[in-house]
């Protein structure tokens, strides 16, 4: 349950950065929420790679 929540929070934060900029108050709130959910995932035993799987190139092995 922690991983989907952390991913969603991070996606919302990235979208806010793109739309409003890093200094906007909503962006800061969403970044804080993303940090808290990532910390909760970490504390429950998940690794960083569980939240951020490695990027793969399409068409390459």
């Amino acid at each position: 349950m922690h991983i989907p929540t952390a991913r969603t929070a991070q996606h919302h934060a990235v979208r806010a950065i793109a739309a409003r900029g890093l200094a906007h108050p909503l962006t800061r709130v969403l970044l804080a929420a993303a940090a808290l959910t990532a910390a909760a995932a970490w504390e429950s035993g998940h690794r960083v790679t569980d939240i951020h799987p490695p990027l793969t190139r399409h068409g390459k092995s």
Side-chain angles (χ1 to χ4, degrees):
M1 176 144 169
H2 291 288
I3 297 301
T5 304
R7 285 186 184 146
T8 299
Q10 290 172 2
H11 286 286
H12 286 300
V14 168
R15 288 183 183 142
I17 291 167
R20 294 176 174 84
L22 192 56
H24 193 277
L26 177 60
T27 301
R28 290 177 181 244
V29 168
L30 292 172
L31 284 170
L36 290 173
T37 58
W42 176 267
E43 290 295 322
S44 70
H46 295 284
R47 300 177 312 178
V48 172
T49 55
D50 296 336
I51 298 172
H52 300 285
L55 297 175
T56 58
R57 293 185 175 163
H58 296 290
K60 304 253 179 175
S61 299

